[in-house]
Amino acid sequence: MSKKLTLIMDWIKSRTKDRIYFNSEHMVRYLTRRTFSISEIETVLAEGSILETHSHPLRNDCYLVLAYPDNKPIHVMCTKDKDENLIVLYAYRPSEPTWKDERTRRQVKGQPMDENLRKCFFCNSDIEPITVGNFDFRWEGSLYVIKGVPAGLCVQCGEKYISAEASKKIVAKIEKKDFTGKDDVLVFEYEG
Ligand SMILES: [Zn+2]
């Protein structure tokens, strides 16, 4: 690591040891689903090294940190926001096809879901087109299930992306109460 990155990594380590950091909602979902434990994430941030710096004109630099809790590689993306807070954005276990090994990205060929959306905002991996069998969410005590929604799926972190057009169609169906199902489970067919 360069001198600059070593200083940033030292800052990340010290914030982690003092437990002065914030998790993104994305990160909290991983922790509550037990995809990762808090101790695994803190081990990465307290012992890791910076593998990549991701720069974006409208955001502060994000740092991809690698370490090996229990001898298994984990990548944690974090950033220092403009108020100098450590924000933990997301984490994943590096794997094929995006990563050849935990330090080496592989170039993946394939059909993007939409030519404007090829890379995951969260982890920069490839997005592939899928149909979500049951896209569900809870609202005001009911479970809404929308069947057959076209989406883009990040092959690495599992984030899903739904186009504006598909979102509009879902909202229109919900507003028209165009559903089947009973009690508090409302089932919508995306098509038809
Ligand atoms: Zn992703």
Side-chain angles (χ1 to χ4, degrees):
M1 284 195 293
S2 67
K3 183 121 196 284
K4 185 185 166 222
L5 288 184
T6 304
L7 286 173
I8 289 163
M9 195 63 230
D10 286 347
W11 175 82
I12 293 170
K13 288 177 183 182
S14 108
R15 284 295 168 113
T16 304
K17 281 171 185 155
D18 294 341
R19 289 231 161 95
I20 307 172
Y21 67 86
F22 297 89
N23 279 313
S24 69
E25 187 186 357
H26 204 75
M27 204 58 230
V28 172
R29 273 188 267 144
Y30 286 147
L31 297 171
T32 52
R33 285 181 198 160
R34 313 283 159 90
T35 310
F36 294 102
S37 67
I38 289 175
S39 113
E40 283 174 317
I41 300 303
E42 290 187 349
T43 300
V44 174
L45 296 174
E47 297 176 3
S49 56
I50 294 173
L51 189 62
E52 293 179 350
T53 302
H54 294 205
S55 299
H56 185 278
L58 299 178
R59 294 197 298 261
N60 286 18
D61 285 352
C62 297
Y63 305 101
L64 185 63
V65 180
L66 165 68
Y68 300 82
D70 300 317
N71 297 316
K72 286 181 202 123
I74 294 178
H75 285 174
V76 177
M77 187 68 91
C78 62
T79 191
K80 185 190 213 173
D81 78 359
K82 62 183 190 314
D83 297 317
E84 309 225 326
N85 292 305
L86 172 59
I87 316 283
V88 184
L89 299 168
Y90 59 87
Y92 58 87
R93 294 174 211 280
S95 64
E96 295 270 15
T98 305
W99 294 86
K100 192 172 162 202
D101 60 57
E102 71 274 17
R103 294 185 166 274
T104 320
R105 278 188 191 271
R106 195 191 279 287
Q107 291 302 103
V108 181
K109 291 191 179 67
Q111 282 298 328
M113 138 178 144
D114 180 299
E115 53 190 50
N116 297 315
L117 186 62
R118 295 164 192 269
K119 294 286 179 187
C120 177
F121 169 82
F122 294 100
C123 75
N124 206 39
S125 286
D126 292 278
I127 289 172
E128 61 179 37
I130 58 156
T131 301
V132 182
N134 291 301
F135 180 86
D136 59 71
F137 63 95
R138 283 199 169 274
W139 188 57
E140 292 189 343
S142 294
L143 177 65
Y144 289 72
V145 181
I146 300 112
K147 291 187 168 291
V149 178
L153 174 73
C154 171
V155 297
Q156 182 156 264
C157 77
E159 185 69 16
K160 292 189 193 90
Y161 296 86
I162 310 242
S163 71
E165 195 194 329
S167 310
K168 200 172 162 186
K169 199 165 164 185
I170 291 168
V171 172
K173 277 188 169 282
I174 290 169
E175 283 178 351
K176 273 196 288 176
K177 301 192 194 312
D178 183 9
F179 62 85
T180 56
K182 57 186 172 65
D183 300 330
D184 52 359
V185 182
L186 313 182
V187 179
F188 298 81
E189 301 289 336
Y190 179 80
E191 293 297 342

